Amino acid sequence: MKKSKSLVKPKKNLGQHFLKSSDVAKKIVDCLNTKNISSILEIGPGMGILTEHIINLSKKSYFIEIDKESATYLKEKFKQIEDNIVEKDFLKIDLKNFKSPIGVIGNFPYNISSQIIFKVIDNRNLVDKVVGMFQLEVAKRICENPGTKSYGIISVLVQAFYETKFEFMLEPEYFNPPPKVDSGVISLKRRKEKSLNCNENLFFKIVKLSFQQRRKTLRNSLKIFNLSNNIKEDVIFDKRPETLSVKDFVHLTNIIANENISA
Ligand code: SAH
């Protein structure tokens, strides 16, 4: 008789909320358009409810799981992908080790979901697509338009490099154990335009500095650049960061870069 498999006990500190419905799992995996993708990385496969559908895509796939108990469970459940189950912390792995363009997918552990996104942004020339489950608030913030309360650093930085799409939301009862918050699935697709037409490091710095004091005008927040009065008369400096689109931030970056060159 086949030995029955033990189930993984959910661990709070690892953000383990297991999705219960295989139909929903399929719906998530279907959001990943694998055209032009060379490898798929699933973050946090857990007990493999998404994994099952990812395997059916017949693409080179890797399953990154920090939890030993889950990894052991998965290796037994999916013998055919045993060698592709990587027992590591996603935040610590080098994405250069995987064939790009990479598609990243997962029902992300909510405690590190922003860090996952910032890692994707750092590796934007390797990661072409992302499909991820986030806590609803974060999912919405990533896709948010300028001029709204939740528009912030993560919205600008993601949208600078990726087209975003809010796919659907899920209530807590779809998970075991249910999280305290609603969840949302979003997808990201790398923009065709690969560079921003400005100094990207300076762009990052300006976006972060601007939002550190989101109630202040840019004239105030960007004092550190010692801008000349002439430049500071530009109406863009009267604005607050949440009203600026990615294009506006690129424009602002170029104004500041030019000033620093000519100074
Ligand atoms: N995909 C599964 C599990 C989601 S819960 C499902 O949908 O049911 C989040 C998963 O991420 C857990 O399995 C957890 O162990 C894993 N995880 C948490 N932190 C991680 C990290 N830093 N790197 C890789 N996996 C992580």
Side-chain angles (χ1 to χ4, degrees):
M1 216 176 83
K2 208 164 172 261
K3 205 175 80 187
S4 67
K5 293 177 193 102
S6 63
L7 295 182
V8 174
K9 189 172 171 287
K11 297 165 201 71
K12 208 174 172 190
N13 64 324
L14 294 178
Q16 291 182 339
H17 296 278
F18 299 112
L19 192 60
K20 294 197 283 195
S21 155
S22 180
D23 288 346
V24 174
K26 178 160 188 326
K27 198 169 153 192
I28 296 171
V29 175
D30 283 346
C31 294
L32 183 69
N33 175 355
T34 57
K35 213 176 112 202
N36 306 328
I37 291 289
S38 296
S39 52
I40 299 175
L41 300 193
E42 186 192 358
I43 306 178
M47 286 193 283
I49 196 153
L50 296 177
T51 312
E52 210 172 314
H53 301 285
I54 295 170
I55 294 172
N56 287 338
L57 298 173
S58 307
K59 280 264 170 184
K60 193 90 191 139
S61 305
Y62 300 87
F63 306 89
I64 322 291
E65 177 55 68
I66 199 171
D67 177 33
K68 193 175 172 44
E69 190 189 357
S70 295
T72 307
Y73 175 89
L74 288 166
K75 282 180 189 170
E76 198 193 322
K77 189 170 175 189
F78 303 102
K79 287 255 172 356
Q80 71 274 37
I81 53 154
E82 197 176 6
D83 295 339
N84 294 0
I85 296 169
V86 183
E87 208 181 307
K88 284 195 176 139
D89 179 346
F90 173 76
L91 297 176
K92 291 190 182 145
I93 60 172
D94 188 347
L95 298 189
K96 285 195 216 71
N97 294 332
F98 303 91
K99 191 155 187 256
S100 62
I102 298 171
V104 168
I105 186 165
N107 173 5
F108 297 150
Y110 295 166
N111 51 338
I112 59 160
S113 63
S114 301
Q115 290 174 72
I116 291 173
I117 284 298
F118 287 118
K119 177 157 182 154
V120 165
I121 293 172
D122 284 345
N123 288 278
R124 56 192 175 276
N125 293 329
L126 303 177
V127 179
D128 201 56
K129 300 205 175 89
V130 179
V131 171
M133 170 98 67
F134 295 80
Q135 81 177 68
L136 186 62
E137 195 194 313
V138 178
K140 282 190 172 160
R141 185 175 308 143
I142 292 171
C143 304
E144 196 57 277
N145 292 321
T148 53
K149 248 191 183 166
S150 56
Y151 183 73
I153 295 179
I154 204 164
S155 336
V156 181
L157 297 185
V158 171
Q159 291 172 31
F161 303 106
Y162 292 88
E163 288 166 27
T164 64
K165 185 172 176 220
F166 185 88
E167 301 281 0
F168 58 92
M169 73 159 284
L170 281 178
E171 284 91 14
E173 56 266 27
Y174 280 89
F175 302 87
N176 175 40
K180 289 204 178 71
V181 290
D182 285 332
S183 302
V185 175
I186 62 170
S187 56
L188 311 178
K189 182 167 165 278
R190 185 76 169 97
R191 291 190 186 281
K192 285 200 184 73
E193 189 79 51
K194 296 293 175 211
S195 65
L196 279 186
N197 273 325
C198 70
N199 175 331
E200 291 183 358
N201 287 337
L202 185 60
F203 172 87
F204 279 84
K205 192 170 171 185
I206 290 172
V207 172
K208 285 178 188 162
L209 274 171
S210 304
F211 279 102
Q212 261 167 26
Q213 306 181 75
R214 64 182 293 140
R215 308 293 310 149
K216 293 200 171 164
T217 64
L218 297 169
R219 185 171 294 110
N220 250 306
S221 305
L222 302 176
K223 270 190 179 137
I224 179 177
F225 292 108
N226 283 325
L227 300 170
S228 66
N229 287 334
N230 206 0
I231 295 277
K232 277 192 290 191
E233 268 166 32
D234 193 315
V235 287
I236 198 166
F237 291 100
D238 294 330
K239 300 192 173 173
R240 288 182 179 157
E242 70 251 34
T243 66
L244 266 61
S245 65
V246 170
K247 259 196 181 144
D248 295 331
F249 273 110
V250 169
H251 175 63
L252 182 63
T253 305
N254 284 328
I255 295 178
I256 294 177
N258 285 339
E259 158 105 338
N260 282 1
I261 289 166
S262 54

